[in-house]
Amino acid sequence: MSQLVIHSGTCITPFEVIKNGSILIEDGIIKQIGQGKKDFSTETSPHVDASGMFVIPGMIDIHVNGGKGANILDGTQQALKTMSEFHLRHGTTSMLPTIISSSISKMITAIKLVETAVNHPQSYKARILGSHLEGPYISKEQKGAHNPAHIRTATAEDYHPLLDYLETVRLITAAPEISGVLEFARSLEENDIIFSIGHSNAKYPQIVNAVGTGFSLVTHLYSVMSSITRQNLTRIPGVVESGLLLDELSVEIIGDNMHLPGSLIELIVKTKGIDKVILVTDAMRGAGMPDGSYYIGDKDDKNSIIVENGVAKTSDRQLLAGSTATMDVCLNTLISEAGLSLKDTVKTATLNPAKLLGIENQYGIIACGKKADIVLLDQNYQVQTVIVNGKIEYTKTNKGE
Ligand SMILES: [Zn+2]
């Protein structure tokens, strides 16, 4: 039996805050939680002294395209390993690699890669939970940095080849106003896939229909989506207002401190309630890399974006193109820019995505019986240690590596 004890830290479970908290891990599972270390066998077990640190559940990023020069559409195991290892160092212990609009064959290659990673977790640092398909059935008017050549309507002929590879697809972002999208969602009712409204120009009645069809999330709220329009003399809510209004919808927020100022994050939290807010990076391959020019998505598309001062933009500098953020940066943004408490912030990065994915029985919470995916943060919310399945996968060295 392998044991690990984490002691003397401030544990944010995130239902409660336990000062001077200790956690006993056995064979990758949390066995005991308490205060002080007297009841924990720290003399015989390997232990981590978390004095002066915050101990939080491992973070779950449901929207991450790449990092450290790699993108899931590179289609290689090495690319996925690179993304997984890079984001782990920033506190992500589980992720949904996010595949943007591409040809069906390229998307299937990436989905198969994710499927292999789901089935062989020992080869990856941060756990690969499944894939997030962002497109291709989205609005051309709200394409953002997606290649318009790959954006299309959802015909049965187009998505038919996908149907054999859906086992590990957990989330699909689509625009409900696009022809065939609601039928596509309805045809997958049995597959336990979450549908999210994103890159969409939908108006309120179309969004209500989408919710009726089972859509339960809004992808990167406020970015590349409709807002209020006027029809004759009346105003019609768009995706932004509907996302805020409808209780059936949770919302992703990009916490890179570029997409959303603190004031809008405050508005979102105030309107939705903290339990419906899910923190994501939307990181692209320029995350963890120097400024420069990078291909977004599939390299063969040669769809270049630029990263200047750490900000990813389309080549005409008119739009943000994903982010270079990591989950630790996103945590910091919510605390420093939007004034959220650490406990609430941690919920948006752990418990809330776990609940959305229906995996809170194992992940996203520090409690007895859950997987021991745990992150230690210093007082400035910088990641110090990352534990996955009870195993220390990363410890920050003095060199900051
Ligand atoms: Zn997007």
Side-chain angles (χ1 to χ4, degrees), residues 34-323:
Q35 267 188 317
K37 57 179 178 178
K38 63 180 183 333
D39 296 332
F40 296 82
S41 47
T42 50
E43 263 140 55
T44 52
S45 317
H47 66 275
V48 177
D49 185 351
S51 302
M53 294 198 211
F54 298 110
V55 181
I56 70 169
M59 292 188 272
I60 302 168
D61 189 358
I62 65 167
H63 195 144
V64 50
N65 307 290
K68 206 72 183 169
N71 181 291
I72 181 62
L73 276 164
D74 294 348
T76 65
Q77 209 181 35
Q78 189 52 51
L80 188 51
K81 282 185 175 172
T82 301
M83 283 172 62
S84 160
E85 180 166 2
F86 169 68
H87 286 284
L88 174 109
R89 287 164 168 250
H90 296 278
T92 299
T93 56
S94 293
M95 59 163 71
L96 294 185
T98 300
I99 302 163
I100 65 169
S101 304
S102 190
S103 65
I104 285 292
S105 64
K106 292 271 183 166
M107 292 182 83
I108 287 174
T109 301
I111 292 168
K112 281 161 78 176
L113 195 63
V114 169
E115 189 170 307
T116 305
V118 171
N119 295 327
H120 299 89
Q122 63 282 2
S123 306
Y124 296 83
K125 291 282 187 177
R127 182 180 291 102
I128 309 298
L129 290 172
S131 49
H132 173 175
L133 310 187
E134 189 185 10
Y137 310 126
I138 57 173
S139 160
K140 279 197 177 170
E141 291 84 57
Q142 300 288 3
K143 65 181 171 28
H146 288 227
N147 183 345
H150 292 313
I151 296 172
R152 49 202 187 262
T153 55
T155 62
E157 192 187 0
D158 192 74
Y159 59 72
H160 188 259
L162 266 181
L163 302 179
D164 288 333
Y165 301 98
L166 293 175
E167 201 171 328
T168 54
V169 173
R170 306 302 298 268
L171 178 54
I172 296 178
T173 291
E177 76 278 17
I178 296 300
S179 168
V181 162
L182 294 187
E183 290 79 1
F184 178 50
R186 244 179 250 122
S187 74
L188 301 186
E189 235 163 28
E190 306 293 307
N191 292 62
D192 217 16
I193 294 172
I194 298 153
F195 269 82
S196 184
I197 303 167
H199 290 266
S200 165
N201 243 347
K203 293 183 165 64
Y204 184 69
Q206 294 167 315
I207 297 156
V208 169
N209 260 341
V211 168
T213 311
F215 279 68
S216 58
L217 183 68
V218 175
T219 299
H220 46 51
L221 185 65
Y222 279 102
S223 297
V224 283
M225 58 180 52
S226 54
S227 184
I228 294 169
T229 48
R230 277 175 61 162
Q231 204 167 353
N232 301 323
L233 297 175
T234 306
R235 287 176 181 81
I236 317 273
V239 180
V240 168
E241 297 77 23
S242 308
L244 291 172
L245 174 68
L246 297 170
D247 287 339
E248 293 89 342
L249 296 170
S250 292
V251 298
E252 283 184 5
I253 58 169
I254 304 173
D256 64 343
N257 203 14
M258 274 306 299
H259 283 78
L260 298 169
S263 52
L264 277 183
I265 296 173
E266 279 187 72
L267 173 67
I268 294 165
V269 171
K270 198 170 180 175
T271 321
K272 290 306 295 179
I274 196 71
D275 296 339
K276 296 265 169 66
V277 177
I278 295 174
L279 189 60
V280 300
T281 60
D282 196 12
M284 43 73 73
R285 73 170 85 238
M289 298 292 281
D291 280 1
S293 176
Y294 296 94
Y295 291 135
I296 196 152
D298 178 11
K299 282 179 180 168
D300 292 343
D301 280 353
K302 300 195 166 33
N303 185 11
S304 276
I305 60 112
I306 42 169
V307 177
E308 284 175 331
N309 301 316
V311 179
K313 307 166 200 171
T314 51
S315 52
D316 59 5
R317 294 180 172 81
Q318 295 304 303
L319 283 175
L320 294 170
S323 88

